[in-house]
């Protein structure tokens, strides 16, 4: 396969230097026997520090609300614990966790919900270029 560098010149990639495999396999998850506590699913320490600072500020109510919404992006999710929690949850909780993108169980649903759109486009292009 020929490639083009940023100056438009074609070159053949060195096969010895290709470090990545085109073989893609989904990881197989084995749930643990214990359902983690909800507090073990997310670390909110930085979020809480930021919210405390925002609350102490003299900003308007609307500005504080905006910054508090933005501060929540600093939550750190523990996806291993989330997967364990999912495995021991009710069907309703499992469905909502899937809708939130916390777990991806069904590749087709993940595409439908928009979580793997780019991945699916890359997969389609790869299959178009290289076949199965």
């Amino acid at each position: 396969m020929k490639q083009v560098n940023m100056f438009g010149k074609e070159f053949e990639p060195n096969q010895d230097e290709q470090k990545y495999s085109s073989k893609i396999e989904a990881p197989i998850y084995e749930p643990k026997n214990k359902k983690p506590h909800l507090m073990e699913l997310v670390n909110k320490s930085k979020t809480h520090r930021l919210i405390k600072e925002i609350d102490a500020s003299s900003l308007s109510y609307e500005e504080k609300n905006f910054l508090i919404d933005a501060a929540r992006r600093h939550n750190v999710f523990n996806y291993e614990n989330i997967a364990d929690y999912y495995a021991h949850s009710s069907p309703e909780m499992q469905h909502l966790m899937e809708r939130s993108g916390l777990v991806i169980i069904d590749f087709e649903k993940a595409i439908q919900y928009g979580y793997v759109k780019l991945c699916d486009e890359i997969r389609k292009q790869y299959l178009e270029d290289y076949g199965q």
Side-chain angles (χ1 to χ4, degrees):
M1 172 177 82
K2 289 189 177 183
Q3 295 184 356
V4 178
N5 68 15
M6 62 188 258
F7 303 108
K9 290 189 134 195
E10 284 190 6
F11 66 95
E12 291 281 342
N14 182 343
Q15 297 299 322
D16 295 335
E17 292 179 8
Q18 289 192 348
K19 298 176 184 171
Y20 302 103
S21 169
S22 61
K23 183 179 178 185
I24 300 170
E25 289 184 25
I28 296 174
Y29 171 72
E30 296 288 334
K32 295 183 179 74
N33 292 328
K34 177 182 161 256
K35 182 177 183 176
H37 189 278
L38 281 168
M39 299 287 289
E40 297 175 83
L41 306 185
V42 60
N43 180 336
K44 298 180 181 184
S45 57
K46 183 170 184 177
T47 301
H48 289 306
R49 285 193 306 272
L50 288 168
I51 290 174
K52 200 177 215 181
E53 194 175 333
I54 292 164
D55 283 339
S57 74
S58 61
L59 297 174
S60 71
Y61 175 79
E62 291 81 12
E63 289 173 322
K64 286 182 180 185
N65 279 337
F66 168 74
L67 290 174
I68 288 170
D69 286 342
R72 289 192 175 98
R73 76 181 192 277
H74 294 284
N75 288 339
V76 179
F77 293 96
N78 182 323
Y79 289 99
E80 182 176 347
N81 286 350
I82 288 170
D84 287 333
Y85 192 88
Y86 173 90
H88 298 284
S89 293
S90 68
E92 181 180 27
M93 181 63 172
Q94 289 178 342
H95 169 73
L96 292 171
M97 290 176 79
E98 290 174 28
R99 292 284 291 148
S100 294
L102 291 168
V103 293
I104 296 177
I105 301 301
D106 180 326
F107 189 72
E108 295 303 319
K109 274 188 189 176
I111 292 169
Q112 174 187 340
Y113 297 155
Y115 297 121
V116 291
K117 185 173 191 270
L118 179 60
C119 181
D120 186 48
E121 290 172 8
I122 292 169
R123 181 178 63 85
K124 284 179 184 172
Q125 185 63 47
Y126 180 86
L127 291 174
E128 187 178 301
D129 290 348
Y130 302 104
Q132 303 240 19

